[in-house]
Each structure stands twice: as structure tokens, then as C-alpha cells.
Amino acid sequence: MDNYNQFLSVLVLAAGVYIVYEYVKMLKTGHISEILLLGKGTPESRCKDREAYTKRAYPAVLVLAIVTMAYGIIDFLNFFVVSMAMVDLVFLVIFLIVLFGYMIYTSKLKKKYFRPY
């Protein structure tokens, strides 16, 4: 069980780093990330108001990146450096709340700003 938890710890930390990378890439290129915001098969060309969409979606990506990185770091420290199970549990709950909130929020944005098929 410990190996599984350690693997998940590293995986969450890597996901946090990847989300930060995608966020910075979106800011630099101006393209909307298919992985983080659109989903497979949704081209960004179907966006009705790109500026309004990115103005609302990018902060959500940043919050997800920060919380994922924070939880990844805490979880990593918990399993590899010093045991802090209660802090890890609190950050897990915060991470899950932010993750589900992100999914709901970005789904609503997609419905509002993208033309259907």
C-alpha cells in the first residue's frame, strides 16, 4: 500500500508541474489548452468569444495549478521526508474540492462560450 501511495504522491506532484507548464504555455502562445480546458475533439476555433473565455478560464487554471502543486509537495513530504498525516489529509480535501469545482466551472464556461457541434 505504501508503494501505491508513494507513486500517487509523485504523480500528483508531476501533474501540478504539468498544469503550471500548460498555464505558462497558454499565456505565451494565446492558444487554449485542449487537455486542460477543451477536451478531446473540441477545437478552439468553435469559441464564440475567445477573449472573454480566456479571461474567465485562465484564473481557474492558475488556482488548480497552485493547489495541485501544494498538495503534491505536501504529499511528497509526507511520504518521503516527515510524516504529517493530518496536514496531508487537509490538503487532500482542499485539492479534491478545487478539482471538482474546476471541472464544474470549466464545463459551464465551455457550454457558454463554445458553439455546439
Side-chain angles (χ1 to χ4, degrees), residues 56-116:
R56 292 177 183 238
Y58 285 4
V61 174
L62 181 59
V63 168
L64 179 66
I66 291 169
V67 170
T68 304
M69 285 286 296
Y71 174 59
I73 291 168
I74 294 296
D75 203 42
F76 185 86
L77 292 174
N78 181 48
F79 285 109
F80 292 103
V81 179
V82 62
S83 180
M84 50 182 156
M86 204 55 188
V87 174
D88 189 47
L89 180 62
V90 169
F91 271 84
L92 172 62
V93 170
I94 292 169
F95 168 71
L96 291 175
I97 290 169
V98 168
L99 180 63
F100 287 116
Y102 174 83
M103 292 186 317
I104 293 167
Y105 180 72
T106 56
S107 294
K108 287 180 181 180
L109 283 180
K110 188 176 170 185
K111 286 179 185 175
K112 181 177 180 179
Y113 289 103
F114 280 80
R115 292 186 297 276

Side-chain angles (χ1 to χ4, degrees), residues 1 5 20 26-27 37 46-47 66 83 99:
M1 186 71 165
N5 288 335
V20 170
M26 285 190 302
L27 288 178
L37 291 170
R46 289 196 1 229
C47 188
I66 291 169
S83 180
L99 180 63

Side-chain angles (χ1 to χ4, degrees), residues 32 37 47 49-57 109 113-114:
I32 302 169
L37 291 170
C47 188
D49 187 353
R50 182 189 179 90
E51 187 177 323
Y53 176 76
T54 57
K55 187 176 182 180
R56 292 177 183 238
L109 283 180
Y113 289 103
F114 280 80

